[in-house]
Amino acid sequence: MNITIVGSGNMGSAFAKQLTQAGHRVNVLGRDAAKAQALAAQYAAASRPQTTVDSDIVIVATAYAEAVAALRAAGLRAGQIVIDITNPLTADYMGLTLGHETSAAEQIAAALPEQRVVKAFNTVFAQVLADGADFGHGQRVPTFVAGDDLQAKEKVGALARSIGFEVIDAGGLRNARYLEPLAGLNIYLGYGAGLGTAIAPTWLRKA
């Protein structure tokens, strides 16, 4: 696929690494053009800051507060698939600024009604994404995928599987209201409880 990553931080870097290794064509856009270009060069990806995005999928890898502005600046075309990996975190990362009646994903979708927003990868730490989804001993990190457009969800699922993730269908986009608190719990366990960032939530099913 042709993928554009909006954001050149830890998650953007991890996506660039995994996606290029899987054979996808990757374009990196960032507020800091030099940083985006350096990231692109590191993984032999393309970097065309401030150009119109023309990709199969756009991944917004910014903080939630910056997501809508960054996507608008990217110049999306109507109908593009946007993967929202953000979480609406408080300044200390130990709480959420949204919840119960809405979610970051729903707010982004409302602000960008011409795009097909899918929630995914928000429960995955950057270290886990960078190191890969295979935890060994049959353990594979999942990503929960929520969205209202079935075709878009299928494409996001295919992308996730291509870089080694298990995919769990989490229903419609409103279920991001549950996925974002799950990410908050994962962050607490990683940092607050001292388990570190080589962890990931999953769902078990008895055979």
Side-chain angles (χ1 to χ4, degrees), residues 11 121 123-130 186-187 190-191 196-200:
M11 286 296 286
F121 296 104
T123 60
V124 178
F125 277 125
Q127 178 187 332
V128 171
L129 181 59
N186 194 44
I187 291 168
Y191 292 101
T197 55
I199 61 172

Side-chain angles (χ1 to χ4, degrees), residues 1-2 17-26 162-163:
M1 299 183 198
N2 185 13
K17 175 184 177 182
Q18 293 297 334
L19 291 168
T20 53
Q21 286 180 351
H24 298 288
R25 295 179 59 194
V26 177
S162 77
I163 57 174

Side-chain angles (χ1 to χ4, degrees), residues 166-179:
E166 179 188 350
V167 174
I168 297 176
D169 188 335
L173 195 65
R174 67 176 286 125
N175 286 345
R177 301 176 191 184
Y178 307 129
L179 297 181

Side-chain angles (χ1 to χ4, degrees), residues 8 21-22 34 36 42 55 75 87 96 121 134 152 165 197 203:
S8 54
Q21 286 180 351
Q42 181 180 357
S55 300
N87 292 300
L96 300 178
F121 296 104
D134 188 351
F165 284 82
T197 55
W203 228 254

Side-chain angles (χ1 to χ4, degrees), residues 34-60:
K35 186 176 180 181
Q37 290 170 347
L39 175 58
Q42 181 180 357
Y43 295 111
S47 180
R48 303 188 301 273
Q50 300 179 1
T51 62
T52 300
V53 175
D54 187 18
S55 300
D56 299 305
I57 293 177
V58 177
I59 300 172
V60 57

Side-chain angles (χ1 to χ4, degrees), residues 20-104:
T20 53
Q21 286 180 351
H24 298 288
R25 295 179 59 194
V26 177
N27 177 38
V28 182
L29 301 178
R31 182 173 52 188
D32 184 330
K35 186 176 180 181
Q37 290 170 347
L39 175 58
Q42 181 180 357
Y43 295 111
S47 180
R48 303 188 301 273
Q50 300 179 1
T51 62
T52 300
V53 175
D54 187 18
S55 300
D56 299 305
I57 293 177
V58 177
I59 300 172
V60 57
T62 67
Y64 164 63
E66 302 167 6
V68 170
L71 288 168
R72 284 176 173 162
L76 306 184
R77 57 174 167 78
Q80 271 185 307
I81 298 170
V82 173
I83 299 179
D84 168 35
I85 73 166
T86 72
N87 292 300
L89 299 171
T90 56
D92 63 0
Y93 298 100
M94 290 293 109
L96 300 178
T97 60
L98 295 173
H100 302 298
E101 295 181 354
T102 190
S103 63

